Amino acid sequence: MNIVVCLKQIIDYEIPPRAFRIDRQKKKPAMPDASLVIGPFDENALEVALQLREKAGGGRITAVSMGPESAIEALRKALAVTADEAVLLSDPAFSDLDPFGTARVLGAAIKKLGGADLVLTGRQSGDWDAGQVGQLLAEELGAPCVNFAFRAEPGGDGRVRLYKETPGGAEILEAGTPVVATVTNAETNQLRLAKVRDLMAANRKPVPTWSAADLGLDPAALAAGRIEVLDLYVPTYDARCEFVTGETPEDKASALARRLVELKLV
Amino acid sequence: MPGIVIVATAEGQGTNPAALELLGGGAGLAKALGCPLEAVLVSGSGTDPAGPAAKLFAGGARRVYSVRHERLGNGSPEAALEALTAACRRAEPRVVLFSADRLGLEVAPRLAHRLGGSMITDAVALEVRDGDVVATRPAFGGKAMEQVAARATPQVVTVKLRALEPAALDESRSGELVEVPVDLDPGVDRVKLVERVEEAAEGPKLETARVVIGGGRGVGGAENFKQLEELARVLGAALGASRAAVDEGWVPASWQIGQTGKAIASDLYIAVGISGASQHTAGISGVKTIVAINTDPEAPIFERAHLGVVGDHKAVVPALTARLKELLGK
């Protein structure tokens, strides 16, 4: 089974709100020293792929990332947890693409790879969080899309069994290939740590970079976005916290209980 | 004339509650753009669309395109996508508004792709500028807000629950009901349902509860959530959690509150052992009063909380439960 995992390198999403800075002119985050990480749900997607390969007793995992040259680090990390190969999609024409443009580039790359049985990606990126690329990629590939998947297993007759989180619980689905799945977090799909030996091997693996020309894409057509970001700003909140005090935890609890009753909140 | 089309689903003789919010917000767009307000009604084959359509007319829709099929009642996004594509090809909308619920999250981007339009997700406010829809939406886990303009038509937007003022109902209003035949492509069977697993649902639902208790990484383990359950019982509250607690496996994923979990809009939210990562606080912006209990006085949750206790929840929560029992006479 050929599995492609699409990963995005993003600014560390754990940066606390008070440290978050933006450049309002450029409408972009402005934290040059912030660490870059793989999107949280993309990590979950990678783990789902690794577990599927184990359960199937074989298969090939290709990690694909569209981004600047720094995104090679995200791909190295994927190789270090034993993705079989990686491809970086990098071109000045790929910067600032909207989700439609991103899906077009990823779709072209997957076609160039010879297609995939299963394409996995996070349910949303963890930065701009549009939550569109996986689904748009399904349209680019003419494939069905299973959203909020948290686990994948080999199904019958070459199909893929996907576990989908639903508001009321879960659904177990079987999909013919090719299929795209967007992955959500669960207890079972936190990305494993790389072994030291694999880390070193990952650094030696060649990672090809494909440009717009390599993918046969017209930069002008990609640039014609369907949306335009007009403004990006940090919201302000006017809550002022009233701290309930007391000598002991029990005193504090009593004081809080009284306040809740006084304010008619309970 | 291309209009504003809102997507509604039939629920019994009415529609999903979000449909009225979309009609309320859609009416503003329709007025600004000088175009009609319409709706697509999605229902399973057993439903008579007349009842739900009447509600949509009362809420201000002038025309309702009804798509009905047995496959539309079971939450299959592939079937819903086909049906909505057919309805929109008929309606030729300028703007399509979805609620950012599962149907919207799973179908809207693909519909926009099929119709050659644009897509904006998770809007919390809508306006019209220079003839285009401009939406405000959270990004970067709620640490930033962006304003995005749609530049391709139809302009498809998913809107967060409770972001828009619901339309007032006027039962004297009527409109035209148009049945759109749904001829599902056999491709919808590329994904087959094998089994549905329902979690036993107890107590009030997170999305609609008046009081919610949430636990985070600081709660320290699945066992410790029992203390929160006790408190929830006394207050008739729903229980939720931060992503960290879900990732630890302490509680089911359906408990998750936050940008990638459920959004709550309770009168009271008590956050226990929750640091207040913006991923989490993005899901509590509709809460009226936030109470935080945390050992760390520097935790960002206190920047959002109205009432705070700095202390160990393992001691505070049982004492709070006991005291509230007395005060409330329970």
Side-chain angles (χ1 to χ4, degrees):
Chain A
M1 180 178 287
N2 278 318
I3 308 163
V4 169
V5 184
C6 301
L7 306 167
K8 184 177 185 185
Q9 186 185 50
I10 62 169
I11 285 182
D12 187 1
Y13 52 92
E14 302 271 16
I15 288 176
R18 65 172 82 93
F20 193 79
R21 301 279 177 279
I22 52 164
D23 181 331
R24 211 156 168 181
Q25 232 66 50
K26 290 186 182 151
K27 299 160 204 155
K28 281 182 185 175
M31 290 162 287
D33 300 328
S35 49
L36 298 170
V37 300
I38 298 178
F41 302 104
D42 294 347
E43 283 202 351
N44 300 136
L46 181 55
E47 180 61 35
V48 166
L50 294 165
Q51 290 177 17
L52 172 60
R53 189 183 59 185
E54 285 161 9
K55 288 172 199 152
R60 190 158 193 82
I61 300 174
T62 306
V64 174
S65 187
M66 188 191 85
E69 279 172 18
S70 66
I72 189 127
E73 294 308 320
L75 294 172
R76 293 262 178 238
K77 183 168 179 185
L79 291 169
V81 292
T82 74
D84 297 285
E85 52 189 318
V87 181
L88 177 64
L89 313 175
S90 200
D91 191 300
F94 297 165
S95 60
D96 301 329
L97 290 184
D98 70 10
F100 282 80
T102 304
R104 176 67 46 86
V105 173
L106 291 171
I110 290 166
K111 286 174 193 159
K112 187 175 162 77
L113 284 167
D117 298 306
L118 172 64
V119 178
L120 292 164
T121 191
R123 58 180 282 184
Q124 60 198 68
S125 59
D127 55 3
W128 292 90
D129 276 334
Q132 299 178 22
V133 168
Q135 295 179 56
L136 298 174
L137 186 51
E139 291 299 305
E140 294 286 333
L141 298 172
C145 188
V146 173
N147 298 294
F148 308 107
F150 59 91
R151 188 159 128 193
E153 292 172 357
D157 300 330
R159 295 163 75 90
V160 187
R161 181 170 279 227
L162 291 159
Y163 291 70
K164 171 181 179 170
E165 187 218 305
T166 64
E171 284 176 1
I172 302 170
L173 303 160
E174 280 212 358
T177 59
V179 60
V180 175
T182 71
V183 176
T184 194
N185 64 300
E187 179 193 357
T188 53
N189 63 22
Q190 302 303 300
L191 182 60
R192 63 194 66 188
L193 294 173
K195 299 194 180 96
V196 175
R197 171 173 51 96
D198 295 331
L199 272 170
M200 286 158 58
N203 285 331
R204 286 194 298 269
K205 276 212 168 156
V207 176
T209 302
W210 292 349
S211 67
D214 292 330
L215 296 174
L217 294 169
D218 171 18
L222 281 177
R226 303 191 190 197
I227 52 168
E228 183 188 350
V229 179
L230 302 180
D231 194 9
L232 182 70
Y233 58 94
V234 174
T236 52
Y237 301 97
D238 54 4
R240 189 159 301 160
C241 189
E242 171 193 329
F243 284 96
V244 174
T245 53
E247 288 290 313
T248 65
E250 289 73 21
D251 291 347
K252 290 177 185 171
S254 283
L256 176 60
R258 275 198 308 277
R259 265 324 256 143
L260 290 174
V261 172
E262 275 166 23
L263 295 168
K264 297 193 167 52
L265 291 169
V266 292
Chain B
M1 182 186 196
I4 313 291
V5 167
I6 70 114
V7 177
T9 48
E11 283 184 11
Q13 283 304 296
T15 67
N16 57 324
L20 287 179
E21 298 177 12
L22 297 178
L23 284 172
L29 300 182
K31 196 172 169 206
L33 290 166
C35 66
L37 179 61
E38 304 177 337
V40 174
L41 177 67
V42 181
S43 45
S45 55
T47 317
D48 179 0
K55 284 280 183 303
L56 295 168
F57 295 140
R62 283 216 235 143
R63 186 180 289 129
V64 172
Y65 298 91
S66 162
V67 284
R68 262 196 304 173
H69 195 281
E70 55 181 339
R71 297 291 300 271
L72 296 176
N74 66 1
S76 157
E78 301 296 326
L81 175 60
E82 296 258 345
L84 284 165
T85 307
C88 287
R89 293 232 156 96
R90 178 76 181 272
E92 296 187 333
R94 182 165 177 173
V95 176
V96 182
L97 297 183
F98 278 87
S99 176
D101 54 18
R102 280 298 168 101
L103 177 69
L105 289 174
E106 297 200 56
V107 170
R110 298 172 71 188
L111 178 70
H113 193 283
R114 289 192 181 186
L115 300 174
S118 57
M119 182 72 233
I120 301 173
T121 48
D122 291 336
V124 294
L126 296 174
E127 60 185 292
V128 172
R129 267 189 238 170
D130 305 324
D132 285 330
V133 170
V134 174
T136 305
R137 66 181 297 277
F140 297 90
K143 288 188 276 262
M145 302 295 288
E146 64 167 326
Q147 285 197 320
V148 202
R151 297 294 190 222
T153 303
Q155 306 184 340
V156 185
V157 184
T158 64
V159 186
K160 290 260 203 194
L161 211 57
R162 294 189 192 83
L164 303 172
E165 207 49 49
L169 291 177
D170 175 354
E171 308 285 348
S172 71
R173 284 193 286 220
S174 62
E176 183 193 357
L177 180 59
V178 181
E179 294 266 3
V180 179
V182 181
D183 189 15
L184 292 183
D185 185 283
V188 300
D189 286 325
R190 289 181 296 182
V191 180
K192 282 199 164 72
L193 179 67
V194 178
E195 194 185 337
R196 186 169 278 142
V197 187
E198 299 288 340
E199 277 165 19
E202 289 172 26
K205 284 174 73 176
L206 268 179
E207 299 94 321
T208 51
R210 211 182 59 76
V211 181
V212 175
I213 319 268
R217 194 189 303 272
V219 171
E223 271 302 295
N224 298 343
F225 268 84
K226 293 231 160 56
Q227 292 186 337
L228 306 196
E229 283 170 26
E230 279 293 308
L231 179 59
R233 242 194 304 278
V234 171
L235 295 178
L239 272 170
S242 70
R243 184 184 157 166
V246 170
D247 286 350
E248 293 284 355
W250 299 339
V251 298
S254 57
W255 287 30
Q256 189 170 320
I257 297 169
Q259 190 174 32
T260 53
K262 293 186 167 114
I264 59 171
S266 53
D267 292 337
L268 175 64
Y269 176 52
I270 303 181
V272 181
I274 287 179
S275 68
S278 46
Q279 144 74 235
H280 179 72
T281 54
I284 62 171
S285 53
V287 174
K288 286 206 185 84
T289 303
I290 299 168
V291 175
I293 302 172
N294 204 298
T295 48
D296 177 11
E298 297 295 318
I301 189 73
F302 289 119
E303 291 165 27
R304 296 291 299 276
H306 304 87
L307 278 171
V309 174
V310 178
D312 182 0
H313 68 86
K314 287 201 236 13
V316 174
V317 170
L320 178 64
T321 306
R323 192 80 180 96
L324 282 170
K325 258 189 194 164
E326 285 169 32
L327 291 171
L328 301 173
K330 285 186 181 173

